[in-house]
Amino acid sequence: MSRQLPIAGTPEVRAAALRDLRADRGAVVGIVCVNGLAAAAGLVGPWLLGRIIDTIQAGGSDVLSRVDRLAFGALVFTIVQTTLTWWALKIGYRFGERTAARVRERFLKRTLALPPRVADHLPTGDLIARGSTDASVVAMTLRYAVPEVLVALVHALFLVVAVVVLDPLLGLCGLACLIGVAGAVRWYLRRARPVYLAVAATGAELADVVASTAKGARTIELLGLEQRRAQATESAVTQARSARLGALWLRTVLFPWADVSLALPVVGVLLVGGALEADGVVSLGVVVTATVYLRQLVGPLDTLMLWIEQLQGAGASYARVEGLADVPDEERKPTTHVGAAEDGDRIQVTNARYSYTDDRDVLHGIDLSVQPGERLAIVGTSGAGKSTLARLLAGLDRPHTGSVTIGGTPVADLPPDELREHVVLITQDHHVFHDTVRDNLRIARPDATDEELYAALDAVGAAWLNDLPHGLDTEIGDDTTLDGASAQQLSLARVVLADPHTLILDEATAQLDPRTARRTEQSLAAVLRGRTVIAIAHRLQTAHDADRIAVMEAGELVELGTHSELVSAGRVYGKLWKSWHAESDGQPGL
């Protein structure tokens, strides 16, 4: 049963954002300082404009020369402001790129650090959405929002201070008219977070439904589940659409309200300033300067309003990306090591029970002992619990009761690095990276020589290497592509390089044709002689070659013994063998 991925709370997101800012504090300080200079330079132009108006009103013989000097000064400071603003944005964009990379790397490290048994139960679609869509939103926000918001904040602060210093009465009048903007923002922020979290969550759910439908397309078609999956997809689309409409409704209220509110300060100062100028309290130049300041204030405030809306979506994405840090890590003792002892590398399963949903056990009191160097085959019908037992043996899951130990130490308590040295689980699922054959193999052992790589591929019967255009340097995905059988052999070659003492094969050769599968299993048996091999056998011929056979039925271990013993007993395995043998001879099975 999939767990729900956690979402970081507001304090956690705020703390993460502060950490990212502190990590590049030099750039942040640079943005603030340079933009502060730009904002200060921007205040000179309107002030000089007011001086020009007052100079013209005062008149005089040299009025034109004074106006020219003031106008030239305004032009110079406008160029200075433009240059400094460009410089501040350049610093900010570089900061954004570095911080976005830091966020992505942190998410990737957290994902790779998840214990396999935790990661396997996480909703894949949601995890993909967080690593792609949400991470991209956060990266875009850090790239553009931080510099633009800082620039707008500093500019707005300087303008507010300037208009108050210019004339306190006009300044207070203009600020009073901004109450409408504050009210609009307050109303929006109180409602935005849950709405944007719902947008992100429903988008992830839609991605999960689409991905799972595409992945299981053949099964869906085989079982005639097209209509059911279509309904599930339609339901996910409806929920995503509803959530996005909710966010759209908030925007349709915020922006018109804000646009009207941003116009009020200019109107208010013009009305009040006109009355004060008529009474001789202030000069016309002061009124014009205050009006220009407040008109300039509309620009940064409008930028802030736009980013406030976008920051809600980015905040929700940031919370989802940072939420991965809160994924509960099942208890693992990092200092636990396999004991030397008389147990050696013996695997012992004692009264192990396991349930995926906590309400019904799928394994019932399994008792099993696997000796070092033994080849054990686990057989049974579909759903008998074979793969679940394999996961317990590999330490990917922990039994709810009982124990699974290796050398007397619980397998699930071993640190990942040490666990891989002792036991490796290979399933029919595999991954080939878009890289050279050499680098694909060296994932298992980075220091492996070319001779060892060739030997590993030869051990699993990968004769296709001789047909590659550049041998080990062949780029998979560019120079060539591997079919399912070849990709599985590449995966098995990694196991040979990893050299664990216990290997668990869960239908690892299911995608190989019978002849290739038989040859691969024989090669593995030869290479891993003296090591423990536990095979989930879907071909009874594989079980026939094993030292012992464990028979699973309905989550219970019902038989255990050699091939000859179990055939002679004539119970579950004997009937399976008789049926399979009859079919292989071209006779009807039982």
Side-chain angles (χ1 to χ4, degrees):
M1 183 169 135
S2 295
R3 305 179 180 185
Q4 292 300 315
L5 282 169
I7 296 174
T10 302
E12 288 84 359
V13 174
R14 187 181 298 116
L18 289 175
R19 284 197 304 271
D20 288 329
L21 292 175
R22 285 196 298 267
D24 205 352
R25 60 173 63 89
V28 176
V29 172
I31 296 171
V32 174
C33 292
V34 174
N35 189 59
L37 294 174
L43 297 177
V44 178
W47 178 76
L48 290 175
L49 177 61
R51 291 288 305 277
I52 290 173
I53 293 174
D54 289 341
T55 298
I56 294 174
Q57 278 191 323
S61 58
D62 59 344
V63 62
L64 291 179
S65 62
R66 283 186 292 162
V67 168
D68 287 342
R69 288 195 297 271
L70 291 172
F72 179 74
L75 175 62
V76 170
F77 278 100
T78 300
I79 294 174
V80 170
Q81 179 195 16
T82 303
T83 303
L84 290 174
T85 300
W86 169 82
W87 187 15
L89 289 174
K90 180 180 178 181
I91 297 173
Y93 291 150
R94 289 182 173 180
F95 159 80
E97 291 293 343
R98 290 192 295 268
T99 307
R102 194 177 299 115
V103 170
R104 283 195 170 104
E105 290 170 1
R106 187 165 64 231
F107 180 84
L108 180 60
K109 288 179 180 178
R110 287 171 177 171
T111 302
L112 295 177
L114 290 173
R117 62 177 175 274
V118 174
D120 283 351
H121 296 299
L122 296 179
T124 305
D126 195 10
L127 190 62
I128 293 174
R130 294 189 188 213
S132 56
T133 304
D134 291 318
S136 296
V137 170
V138 173
M140 185 273 294
T141 302
L142 292 171
R143 186 179 299 117
Y144 298 110
V146 172
E148 292 184 15
V149 168
L150 285 177
V151 167
L153 281 173
V154 175
H155 196 188
L157 179 63
F158 271 69
L159 287 170
V160 168
V161 172
V163 75
V164 172
V165 171
L166 180 67
D167 187 277
L169 185 58
L170 290 178
L172 292 176
C173 174
L175 293 179
C177 293
L178 289 175
I179 293 177
V181 177
V185 172
R186 175 180 169 81
W187 176 89
Y188 177 79
L189 292 179
R190 291 178 63 182
R191 294 163 173 79
R193 177 178 167 83
V195 171
Y196 281 94
L197 284 175
V199 170
T202 54
E205 177 65 23
L206 177 59
D208 197 31
V209 170
V210 172
S212 60
T213 301
K215 185 176 181 180
R218 292 184 179 179
T219 303
I220 293 170
E221 183 179 4
L222 179 64
L223 299 179
L225 300 176
E226 294 91 339
Q227 185 63 33
R228 183 180 300 180
R229 295 308 299 174
Q231 291 174 353
T233 304
E234 183 65 30
S235 175
V237 170
T238 300
Q239 292 177 359
R241 177 176 177 273
S242 177
R244 291 181 179 275
L245 287 176
L248 179 61
W249 177 77
L250 290 180
R251 292 196 289 270
T252 57
V253 174
L254 172 67
F255 288 126
W257 189 356
D259 287 342
V260 173
S261 299
L262 286 175
L264 293 179
V266 175
V267 175
V269 167
L270 284 174
L271 292 175
V272 175
L276 294 177
E277 195 274 337
D279 293 338
V281 178
V282 296
S283 68
L284 179 60
V286 170
V287 175
V288 171
T289 301
T291 303
V292 173
Y293 280 155
L294 289 174
R295 183 66 187 86
Q296 287 184 343
L297 186 61
V298 172
L301 288 182
D302 194 45
T303 298
L304 291 175
M305 294 297 292
L306 289 172
W307 275 113
I308 282 175
E309 185 272 327
Q310 294 184 47
L311 285 174
Q312 299 313 300
S317 293
Y318 210 152
R320 287 166 53 77
V321 170
E322 288 298 315
L324 197 64
D326 298 326
V327 173
D329 184 1
E330 295 186 4
E331 294 184 4
R332 182 194 292 275
K333 302 175 183 178
T335 57
T336 300
H337 302 283
V338 174
E342 61 276 359
D343 282 337
D345 294 325
R346 181 166 63 92
I347 297 177
Q348 182 68 46
V349 183
T350 305
N351 192 30
R353 295 178 177 271
Y354 183 78
S355 171
Y356 287 103
T357 60
D358 295 328
D359 59 357
R360 184 175 66 86
D361 285 343
V362 294
L363 293 181
H364 310 280
I366 303 297
D367 290 297
L368 178 64
S369 179
V370 185
Q371 300 300 324
E374 181 179 14
R375 184 180 179 95
L376 175 73
I378 302 177
V379 303
T381 57
S382 179
K386 305 186 298 298
S387 294
T388 302
L389 178 58
R391 292 178 61 84
L392 296 186
L393 294 171
L396 298 182
D397 285 317
R398 186 190 301 273
H400 292 172
T401 61
S403 64
V404 179
T405 62
I406 184 168
T409 301
V411 181
D413 286 344
L414 291 173
D417 292 341
E418 185 171 352
L419 177 62
R420 285 191 292 269
E421 294 176 1
H422 290 279
V423 58
V424 170
L425 171 66
I426 296 297
T427 69
Q428 60 183 325
D429 296 323
H430 51 266
H431 185 78
V432 177
F433 293 91
H434 192 95
D435 209 333
T436 64
V437 175
R438 176 183 288 103
D439 289 334
N440 266 278
L441 290 171
R442 282 182 173 169
I443 292 172
R445 241 184 69 199
D447 60 347
T449 64
D450 284 0
E451 290 73 16
E452 290 170 325
L453 300 182
Y454 281 118
L457 289 168
D458 182 64
V460 297
W464 45 264
L465 180 66
N466 300 323
D467 300 326
L468 297 183
H470 306 296
L472 292 175
D473 292 318
T474 301
E475 290 273 353
I476 299 176
D478 288 337
D479 299 328
T480 190
T481 57
L482 298 182
D483 57 23
S486 299
Q488 186 64 297
Q489 287 176 322
L490 181 63
S491 178
L492 293 173
R494 291 178 186 146
V495 178
V496 176
L497 291 169
D499 196 24
H501 72 69
T502 298
L503 177 63
I504 302 174
L505 302 174
D506 186 1
E507 301 193 17
T509 58
Q511 295 191 20
L512 307 182
D513 62 82
R515 178 177 298 179
T516 304
R518 177 70 172 160
R519 186 172 63 252
T520 301
E521 289 167 357
Q522 290 174 341
S523 300
L524 278 173
V527 173
L528 299 178
R529 184 175 293 112
R531 293 170 173 80
T532 308
V533 178
I534 302 173
I536 307 300
H538 58 288
R539 296 185 179 96
L540 290 188
Q541 184 60 45
T542 302
H544 176 272
D545 296 335
D547 298 325
R548 284 194 303 162
I549 301 168
V551 183
M552 300 286 297
E553 189 174 66
E556 296 182 352
L557 182 58
V558 295
E559 287 187 281
L560 180 64
T562 66
H563 170 76
S564 299
E565 291 171 347
L566 297 182
V567 170
S568 299
R571 297 176 58 201
V572 177
Y573 181 79
K575 293 177 180 178
L576 286 173
W577 177 261
K578 185 178 180 180
S579 175
W580 177 82
H581 201 272
E583 290 179 356
S584 65
D585 289 339
Q587 302 172 5
L590 299 178

